[in-house]
Amino acid sequence: MMRRILQAVVVAAALTASAVRAEEAAETSIIGPWVGTYTCGQGLTGISLTITEAREGRAEALFHFYAVPENPGVPTGCFLQSGTYNAETRRVTLRGGRWLLQPPDYVTVGFSGQLDRAGRRLTGKVIGPRGCTTFRMERRAESAPVPAACRPQVAAR
């Protein structure tokens, strides 16, 4: 009887440890859509960042920006980003890449940020020209609507 109780306790502990590891893995994943704002020379700007890959220390993303009610004059644009992500420290660094939709006089920017413990908020500094400061994004089930021009085209084989 005591042996069965001990076995049940060991099994329950193993299942709990497995569930905790799975939960921690989910919390450290950065892949998926993120929505929020960032600030640069044009002022407060909406952002929809879709991280499509984050493995082996690398990260790839689609950066889509647009006007927000507080700053309606911002044009829509988008470009690809690549960089690094460390799941252990939850740090991500992305740099601007190829434009998909470029408004006149705009340049790409990068990010250096931190994923919170719950895996729901991504915050940090915008890496760009003078006037760029911070960003703040939250995980969403889906990103803001992305214009067709902002969807990377896959080369036909």
Side-chain angles (χ1 to χ4, degrees):
M1 174 81 157
M2 187 62 135
R3 185 177 191 159
R4 283 193 179 147
I5 291 172
L6 184 56
Q7 286 175 333
V9 169
V10 169
V11 168
L15 290 173
T16 300
S18 177
V20 167
R21 282 192 300 275
E23 185 177 315
E24 287 174 351
E27 290 175 354
T28 61
S29 175
I30 199 166
I31 293 175
W34 297 86
V35 177
T37 58
Y38 75 103
T39 303
C40 273
Q42 73 275 9
L44 187 67
T45 303
I47 180 172
S48 174
L49 183 74
T50 304
I51 300 176
T52 56
E53 181 180 333
R55 60 186 173 89
E56 300 173 8
R58 295 181 36 81
E60 304 287 331
L62 171 66
F63 183 110
H64 166 226
F65 62 92
Y66 47 87
V68 292
E70 301 87 344
N71 192 10
V74 172
T76 295
C78 55
F79 53 90
L80 301 177
Q81 288 185 315
S82 62
T84 60
Y85 177 62
N86 182 319
E88 188 174 310
T89 64
R90 300 170 187 254
R91 300 265 333 144
V92 63
T93 302
L94 295 169
R95 63 187 172 284
R98 181 172 61 91
W99 279 101
L100 300 173
L101 178 62
Q102 182 179 11
D105 301 322
Y106 272 68
V107 298
T108 63
V109 296
F111 286 138
S112 177
Q114 182 76 42
L115 179 64
D116 74 345
R117 295 284 303 154
R120 306 290 308 153
R121 191 170 302 122
L122 186 59
T123 57
K125 294 180 2 180
V126 180
I127 302 166
R130 186 177 173 153
C132 291
T133 58
T134 60
F135 71 89
R136 178 183 177 94
M137 293 179 266
E138 293 183 359
R139 186 180 299 275
R140 295 287 168 88
E142 56 186 59
S143 66
V146 176
C150 294
R151 296 184 196 118
Q153 301 299 312
V154 177
R157 292 184 181 220

